[in-house]
Amino acid sequence: MSEKTPTVYDVAAHAGVSIATVSRVLRRPDDVREATRAKVLASVRELGYLPSASARGLAARRTGVIGIFFPGFDAAWEIPALSDAEDGLVRMVRDSDDQWGQRPPDLYFDAVLRGAELEAWRRGLVLMVGVGRGADPEAVVRDIAGRVDGLVVLARSVPDEVLSSIAHRIPVTLLAGPRRGDDFDHVSVANSEGMRALTQHLISTLGVSAPRYVGGPADSPDDVERYAGYCEALRLAGVDPATVPPLRAEFRREIARELAQQLLAEGTLPRALICANDQMALGILDVLNRAGIAVPGEVIVTGFDGIDAGRASVPPLTTVFQPMETLGREAVRMMADRLDAPESEPVSKRLPVTVLLRGSSEG
């Protein structure tokens, strides 16, 4: 007959503390005195105790798990397939800037997720990540929503009616984008203000009369706000935005390369390309550098996000840095607060951004 599985009651008796103290040690160890924490953890190890998520959830009506849903991964189209081939444990290659597909993907979703993980860990919560695949993310969203206490979702990545249905059962926090008549908590960044400031700098300080905007998907809430900031800067300079129609590259580096190659072939490269994210700006730099086009001497290129790859590009990329890690942390903080006070009023928070002037615009 197998030995009896130890319970939280056994740990409390073994350590000579209350069940509540054992729970605090396992959920919020920093809230417990070091000596008590050490005694409880020694009992946990000696007894071989493992916390039961299902039992804990039944007792507290919570699982201690928060979900976060992204519609996809940054640069997912560039991720190579795994191989079973074993052709040696060491390879030697000559590294060069010409190898477009070999840059590390330290990108927007990575930074947001890192922040969410940090804040969940700090609060003694577990983070469950769901990533959409295919044209319909509803099945993934509903599946993860059935397993968690609350759900963080990128704005406009899930149909409104699906989110409304989920919100009847668990709280929902939206990342990015303005409030649109909903009752969700929102956390976003100063997209329009940041893009307006950058565009005004190019026009007023650098003398670019009509910079061209390179946008992502037209229905992206981030892109909508950034394009609005760009248009506002044009109007303030006396330029009608309708005379400078936007270009589109879907927030993707390889599509931006194709766009840049098309502009080169047509001879229609503008004096400045203001990109709605860094990935597109880096794709354009790839092509201009290979074609021998001087940046910023002949063409100015700017981005938005502030990913690490922009600092290491040639030349370093002028961009609007958004606090992506803080965005993830704030989303989890909002969710934790909502779980503690479910009847409180909806909250919206906009985080500040920083325009980083670098070599791709400043020479």
Side-chain angles (χ1 to χ4, degrees):
M1 181 179 294
S2 60
E3 293 184 5
K4 174 180 175 289
T5 300
T7 68
V8 67
Y9 299 97
D10 298 323
V11 174
H14 189 275
V17 300
S18 68
I19 296 170
T21 298
V22 175
S23 179
R24 281 197 300 274
V25 168
L26 297 176
R27 296 293 300 276
R28 300 191 305 276
D30 292 341
D31 293 350
V32 183
R33 287 184 304 169
E34 184 177 352
T36 302
R37 186 170 66 238
K39 184 165 57 173
V40 170
L41 291 177
S43 295
V44 166
R45 286 192 292 270
E46 186 171 338
L47 296 175
Y49 171 71
L50 292 176
S52 168
S54 58
R56 189 167 62 236
L58 287 172
R61 294 187 180 276
R62 289 193 191 177
T63 64
V65 181
I66 288 177
I68 186 167
F69 174 79
F70 291 134
F73 288 113
D74 287 308
W77 47 89
E78 294 184 0
I79 299 174
L82 292 173
S83 172
D84 293 329
E86 295 184 9
D87 50 0
L89 298 179
V90 178
R91 294 193 306 150
M92 186 174 297
V93 299
R94 182 177 296 278
D95 193 21
S96 75
D97 292 331
D98 291 335
Q99 298 177 41
W100 285 350
Q102 298 186 15
R103 291 176 170 81
D106 185 11
L107 308 176
Y108 174 82
F109 289 151
D110 300 305
V112 172
L113 183 57
R114 182 166 57 246
E117 289 173 330
L118 285 171
E119 191 63 20
W121 169 82
R122 196 179 76 82
R123 293 174 177 271
L125 298 168
V126 174
L127 192 69
M128 179 181 291
V129 182
V131 180
R133 296 192 62 179
D136 184 9
E138 181 174 342
V140 176
V141 173
R142 289 193 181 278
D143 180 60
I144 191 174
R147 304 165 183 249
V148 298
D149 297 326
L151 186 62
V152 177
V153 180
L154 188 69
R156 305 291 290 274
S157 65
V158 178
D160 291 346
E161 60 273 16
V162 175
L163 281 186
S164 296
S165 172
I166 291 172
H168 280 105
R169 296 185 290 112
I170 60 172
V172 172
T173 295
L174 291 186
L175 280 168
R179 184 176 298 282
R180 299 188 302 126
D182 58 71
D183 293 327
F184 306 134
D185 292 326
H186 283 249
V187 57
S188 59
V189 303
N191 281 306
S192 57
E193 295 88 344
M195 187 60 84
R196 181 182 65 224
L198 176 59
T199 306
Q200 286 180 310
H201 173 73
L202 265 62
I203 294 172
S204 303
T205 305
L206 301 182
V208 180
S209 59
R212 199 82 185 267
Y213 182 85
V214 181
D219 62 349
S220 159
D222 281 338
D223 189 80
V224 169
E225 290 191 317
R226 292 169 195 176
Y227 183 61
Y230 161 83
C231 290
E232 185 178 354
L234 290 187
R235 293 190 191 98
L236 290 172
V239 178
D240 182 359
T243 64
V244 194
L247 303 166
R248 294 286 172 189
E250 302 302 311
F251 284 155
R252 293 169 57 173
R253 187 168 184 161
E254 87 281 7
I255 294 181
R257 292 175 189 142
E258 295 171 2
L259 172 64
Q261 289 165 342
Q262 178 184 338
L263 295 174
L264 268 175
E266 296 172 349
T268 56
L269 273 173
R271 177 68 185 93
L273 289 164
I274 297 180
C275 301
N277 80 343
D278 287 348
Q279 279 291 90
M280 295 187 296
L282 293 171
I284 289 172
L285 282 180
D286 289 337
V287 172
L288 297 185
N289 285 335
R290 177 163 286 191
I293 304 296
V295 178
E298 296 177 72
V299 179
I300 291 171
V301 180
T302 67
F304 200 113
D305 281 340
I307 63 175
D308 288 345
R311 187 186 297 115
S313 64
V314 180
L317 180 65
T318 287
T319 189
V320 180
F321 172 81
Q322 62 165 317
M324 296 168 284
E325 188 172 299
T326 303
L327 194 65
R329 291 194 63 187
E330 282 288 352
V332 170
R333 182 188 68 81
M334 279 187 176
M335 179 57 67
D337 290 347
R338 174 62 55 196
L339 291 169
D340 289 339
E343 302 303 322
S344 60
E345 290 296 313
V347 176
S348 291
K349 184 167 186 177
R350 281 163 62 79
L351 304 178
V353 298
T354 304
V355 178
L356 301 177
L357 301 178
R358 296 178 179 149
S360 69
S361 67
E362 308 306 300

